[in-house]
Amino acid sequence: MRFFVVIAAIASIASAANITVKVGENDGLTYDPTNVTAAAGDIIQFEFVAKNHTVTQSTFADPCQKMTTPTEGVDSGFVPVNGTTFPVWSFTVNNASAPLWFYCAQTGHCAKGMVFAINPTANKSFAAFQVIIAAALATASNSTSSSSASGSGTSITTSAGASAATARASASASSSTAANGATTMGHNSVILVAALAIGGVLL
Ligand SMILES: *[C@@H]1O[C@H](CO)[C@@H](O)[C@H](O)[C@H]1NC(C)=O
Ligand SMILES: *[C@@H]1O[C@H](CO)[C@@H](O)[C@H](O)[C@H]1NC(C)=O
Ligand SMILES: *[C@@H]1O[C@H](CO)[C@@H](O)[C@H](O)[C@H]1NC(C)=O
Ligand SMILES: *[C@@H]1O[C@H](CO)[C@@H](O)[C@H](O)[C@H]1NC(C)=O
Ligand SMILES: *[C@@H]1O[C@H](CO)[C@@H](O)[C@H](O)[C@H]1NC(C)=O
Ligand SMILES: *[C@@H]1O[C@H](CO)[C@@H](O)[C@H](O)[C@H]1NC(C)=O
Ligand SMILES: *[C@@H]1O[C@H](CO)[C@@H](O)[C@H](O)[C@H]1NC(C)=O
Ligand SMILES: [Cu+2]
């Protein structure tokens, strides 16, 4: 019995991986990699390396809009980078069967293809997601939408997703709950808030 518990604990530690995604590398409007395959329990760590981007959860069907239904998506908020400090924002994947979709909420960036996916499927592929963006752009190319996403470091909050039955809050720095298969982790909100105080246009 005790032996079994120990093995289970080791297995769960061994299976949890950290997957790093670079945001804005080489001043590009990119997430690198563009999509990842993650197991339940894996932590996705977004390292912001340039400019002023976000990691904002959308739905598959509406790629450049923050997910609001069935519940609010996760959102890093704007993370400006001053070239010296590279803030990291992360969350845990709770459900590997649920694809998760993200975009950058900075003005124009989603339109330029700054999108990201976790566990895309054959039916909901990353390529299909990109096609939806292109189609949405063709329809709404004239509308100038100013982002309503908060510029505050405290915007790194999330809420429960309807399909995330096992989701649970686990943040240490700011409140969080889970979204469709994602739970935000404690992150360095001090760095984020400090970075937000730095002036300059980083679009
Ligand atoms: C994953 O990152 C967290 C901090 O975000 C760290 O505590 C943990 O040790 C890392 N795990 C692995 C397997 O690298
Ligand atoms: C995981 O996601 C799949 C697909 O959305 C869903 O059918 C399933 O119920 C979810 N599992 C849990 C435990 O939430
Ligand atoms: C994927 O698409 C195929 C063909 O449209 C469909 O038969 C299948 O049920 C879909 N699978 C899922 C999991 O939605
Ligand atoms: C998704 O990620 C994989 C692995 O990084 C990559 O090979 C593939 O090209 C990506 N898909 C798209 C459509 O970019
Ligand atoms: C988009 O803008 C062009 C020129 O500015 C205009 O001719 C066209 O009617 C607009 N289309 C829509 C759907 O608003
Ligand atoms: C960069 O920002 C960090 C906080 O994010 C701050 O500690 C550091 O002093 C800044 N460096 C410069 C050169 O502005
Ligand atoms: C980051 O971008 C947001 C939205 O455009 C803006 O409100 C904020 O002032 C920018 N931060 C910096 C430091 O440029
Ligand atoms: Cu961006």
Side-chain angles (χ1 to χ4, degrees):
M1 180 63 153
R2 184 182 299 163
F3 187 55
F4 176 80
V5 169
V6 169
I7 289 173
I10 290 171
S12 78
I13 289 168
S15 66
N18 286 348
I19 299 172
T20 298
V21 179
K22 300 228 180 206
V23 183
E25 204 166 31
N26 300 320
D27 281 348
L29 305 186
T30 56
Y31 300 100
D32 182 19
T34 59
N35 66 102
V36 302
T37 300
D42 287 356
I43 298 170
I44 315 296
Q45 297 185 315
F46 296 91
E47 186 181 3
F48 292 81
V49 299
K51 298 198 173 181
N52 181 8
H53 301 291
T54 80
V55 176
T56 305
Q57 189 173 11
S58 73
T59 61
F60 178 76
D62 206 356
C64 297
Q65 299 294 323
K66 183 171 176 178
M67 185 173 87
T68 55
T69 56
T71 53
E72 189 108 333
V74 296
D75 189 356
S76 69
F78 288 100
V79 183
V81 178
N82 65 10
T84 304
T85 303
F86 305 105
V88 172
W89 178 75
S90 58
F91 58 78
T92 300
V93 173
N94 288 334
N95 183 352
S97 300
L100 303 176
W101 309 96
F102 301 87
Y103 71 104
C104 177
Q106 186 56 271
T107 307
H109 288 197
C110 184
K112 290 172 183 162
M114 191 166 183
V115 292
F116 174 77
I118 299 171
N119 295 328
T121 64
N123 281 17
K124 291 184 175 178
S125 68
F126 186 68
F129 189 54
Q130 292 173 305
V131 168
I132 291 172
I133 294 168
L137 286 177
T139 305
S141 58
N142 288 2
S143 68
T144 49
S145 61
S146 64
S147 172
S148 62
S150 168
S152 158
T154 59
S155 65
I156 300 168
T157 55
T158 61
S159 57
S163 66
T166 61
R168 65 198 177 280
S170 67
S172 58
S174 56
S175 67
S176 82
T177 49
N180 272 336
T183 299
T184 51
M185 298 294 291
H187 53 77
N188 198 333
S189 65
V190 174
I191 286 178
L192 295 179
V193 171
L196 284 162
I198 294 158
V201 177
L202 298 169
L203 301 190

